[in-house]
Amino acid sequence: MRRKTRQVRVGNVLIGGDAPIAVQSMTTTYTRDVEATVAQILRLEEAGCEIVRVAVPEMEDALAISEIKRCIHIPLVADIHYNPALALEAIRQGIDKVRINPGNLLNGRKSLEEIVKAAKERGIAMRIGVNSGSIDALDKAAQMQRIQVRLRDDGVLERTDPAEARRREREYLVERMVGRALEYIGWCEELDYHDIVVSLKSSSVLTAIAAYRLFSQKSDYPLHLGITEAGTLVSGSVKSGVGLGILLAEGIGDTIRVSLSAEPEEEIPVAYEILRALELRNRGVTFVSCPSCGRVEIDVIQVANEVEKRLTKVQTPIHVAVMGCVVNGPGESRDADVGLAGGKGKGVIFRKGQVVKTVPEDQFLDAVLKEVASLLPPHEAKLVYPEGGIQEVVGTHRTRDEGMNLPILKH
Ligand code: SF4
């Protein structure tokens, strides 16, 4: 059951309450480079990004905001550190939300209050972002005092169990993170400002989970979930899947960002995959494919990867299965909107639970995509299956059956 949170408006997107869990990302361009930033945001929009954040390290970046906003269609968030003047300029430029870590703002509370007043006047939201990294730095002295090695009266050196010490460190860190967030919220509430979203990020999955859990017991402000500095495509996707997945399954989280050291467009399918796996959003393709094994009758890895690649831009909810043999193939394919169940040298195509036809191996991709396209609105169907079909052989590779070559199709 989803935790009940206040609802906050960010441009035309609602966060919290009963609003769908929104998917966010952040650009990697220099924000002052309006052309590159807009181009990247448009690619993110196409991938399904619903809110986008830009870094605002200098005034030139803040001054580019109104022009960027004119060219894009999703709410824009300014990421501000240290200098409150950048937040005030971003607000003047028409930003939809500012992301602040009050802990690193010059003149702390005084600056936050100035920003809050400006945000309130314009009716825009603010994310209070507390990161475990900045808490670490603030509280280093206090952490040092946590005794891990102790000389007993009888002269024996007693060491704290490292696992227990880590657990206590984490507990302490999480209390400090949540305490800070609540303190900052208190400053905003004193000014009667409540359009707040909170994040409590950490590069440690367990710390982030503990922090979000604790906060959600104490406050009903909506939560932006993220594992910060999560890593590259594989490590970052797994860490985000585990961290965000556990929290979302517990009903915690109102908007998510999957952070990857990759092109930001690559974050979006991962985010939707997490949400689809938990049945929280059904946008796009739910894809089922078998891992293949010694029973495989077709080159399922090749076909599955080709099909998935062709469907990345689809936003209509649709369930597609590509299966390697008759063991689980017909069952999974029948349950899907479109399915392929491999057999010796051929495959059975299913559509909405019914067998449509049997095709030879060199027509698998064509047949699956054609059926998928027939279930999509025209603008998406065109992306999946252009006029004239998709058959173009660019090479061959071997299937299990000796001597049999399967064409690789260009896309
Ligand atoms: Fe193996 Fe067939 Fe299962 Fe695929 S569907 S993993 S080929 S048994």
Side-chain angles (χ1 to χ4, degrees):
M1 193 87 143
R2 190 158 162 209
R3 183 179 72 110
K4 235 186 155 22
T5 52
R6 291 162 184 258
Q7 199 164 61
V8 171
R9 177 178 290 280
V10 180
N12 58 0
V13 174
L14 294 172
I15 296 178
D18 55 2
I21 292 164
V23 170
Q24 311 203 15
S25 186
M26 185 169 184
T27 56
T28 55
T29 52
Y30 293 113
T31 305
R32 67 192 72 178
D33 183 347
V34 172
E35 202 182 323
T37 303
V38 166
Q40 194 170 61
I41 293 175
L42 295 179
R43 288 198 298 277
L44 278 162
E45 288 181 5
E46 197 180 37
C49 180
E50 295 170 312
I51 298 172
V52 67
R53 180 161 46 118
V54 291
V56 181
E58 287 173 39
M59 198 48 86
E60 239 181 307
D61 302 295
L63 291 168
I65 285 169
S66 59
E67 206 179 330
I68 294 169
K69 261 199 69 82
R70 266 197 299 278
C71 306
I72 64 170
H73 314 90
I74 54 176
L76 192 65
V77 182
D79 191 84
I80 311 285
H81 291 274
Y82 314 121
N83 185 354
L86 299 173
L88 296 174
E89 185 55 41
I91 293 170
R92 263 193 297 275
Q93 293 275 325
I95 202 79
D96 297 300
K97 180 169 112 185
V98 283
R99 183 271 180 192
I100 307 278
N101 177 357
N104 70 19
L105 215 50
L106 296 173
N107 296 323
R109 180 169 184 170
K110 189 172 166 288
S111 297
L112 183 73
E113 285 177 350
E114 266 180 74
I115 298 168
V116 164
K117 281 178 197 153
K120 198 175 162 194
E121 212 168 280
R122 292 265 181 157
I124 67 157
M126 175 187 292
R127 167 151 70 95
I128 292 180
V130 175
N131 272 26
S132 65
S134 53
I135 295 287
D136 268 341
L138 287 170
D139 296 323
K140 204 128 214 123
Q143 283 184 45
M144 293 293 282
Q145 287 166 18
R146 297 174 68 76
I147 299 163
Q148 296 192 13
V149 181
R150 181 169 81 94
L151 187 63
R152 283 191 345 215
D153 291 346
D154 57 6
V156 175
L157 202 60
E158 195 180 74
R159 285 178 191 278
T160 312
D161 168 21
E164 173 59 15
R166 266 202 308 280
R167 192 192 63 74
R168 276 169 37 196
E169 284 296 337
R170 175 167 298 123
E171 205 176 77
Y172 176 72
L173 174 59
V174 161
E175 278 167 17
R176 300 293 294 156
M177 287 171 74
V178 172
R180 293 276 159 152
L182 293 172
E183 186 185 353
Y184 302 145
I185 288 171
W187 297 351
C188 296
E189 285 179 336
E190 278 185 35
L191 295 171
D192 196 24
Y193 179 75
H194 305 272
D195 294 331
I196 302 166
V197 179
V198 175
S199 65
L200 298 146
K201 294 191 185 183
S202 173
S203 55
S204 154
V205 173
L206 290 176
T207 301
I209 291 173
Y212 281 112
R213 271 184 186 150
L214 183 64
F215 182 89
S216 67
Q217 288 163 15
K218 293 176 183 275
S219 170
D220 66 351
Y221 280 100
L223 285 170
H224 165 121
L225 301 188
I227 305 296
T228 194
E229 294 117 28
T232 52
L233 189 56
V234 174
S235 58
S237 300
V238 173
K239 280 196 222 166
S240 296
V242 172
L244 275 49
I246 286 173
L247 290 164
L248 291 165
E250 292 175 9
I252 298 170
D254 302 282
T255 175
I256 64 170
R257 190 228 170 160
V258 170
S259 300
L260 299 177
S261 304
E263 290 301 315
E265 301 92 286
E266 297 189 57
E267 298 177 353
I268 307 301
V270 180
Y272 278 108
E273 201 62 56
I274 294 169
L275 295 174
R276 271 195 305 269
L278 294 165
E279 298 182 10
L280 292 167
R281 298 283 301 262
N282 64 357
R283 176 177 178 142
V285 180
T286 301
F287 191 66
V288 174
S289 66
C290 82
S292 132
C293 72
R295 287 190 192 87
V296 74
E297 303 269 17
I298 62 171
D299 189 341
V300 75
I301 296 171
Q302 169 78 12
V303 178
N305 279 295
E306 291 284 347
V307 169
E308 191 179 42
K309 223 184 286 171
R310 295 292 302 210
L311 301 181
T312 45
K313 289 185 181 159
V314 171
Q315 294 183 5
T316 303
I318 188 163
H319 182 164
V320 178
V322 173
M323 303 292 292
C325 81
V326 293
V327 174
N328 293 322
E332 288 287 354
S333 300
R334 202 168 274 123
D335 287 346
D337 292 309
V338 175
L340 162 69
K344 236 186 171 39
K346 55 190 182 210
V348 182
I349 303 290
F350 292 78
R351 183 172 184 264
K352 300 271 182 198
Q354 304 294 323
V355 173
V356 177
K357 58 185 168 184
T358 301
V359 290
E361 288 195 54
D362 63 351
Q363 289 172 28
F364 284 169
L365 186 62
D366 196 75
V368 171
L369 296 181
K370 202 171 188 174
E371 290 304 329
V372 172
S374 74
L375 297 174
L376 298 175
H379 68 281
E380 285 191 333
K382 246 186 275 170
L383 297 174
V384 170
Y385 195 84
E387 268 175 53
I390 43 84
Q391 295 295 298
E392 192 180 340
V393 177
V394 293
T396 59
H397 67 99
R398 284 158 65 86
T399 64
R400 183 170 71 98
D401 288 344
E402 226 185 325
M404 181 178 285
N405 290 317
L406 177 70
I408 298 174
L409 303 169
K410 192 177 177 185
H411 49 83

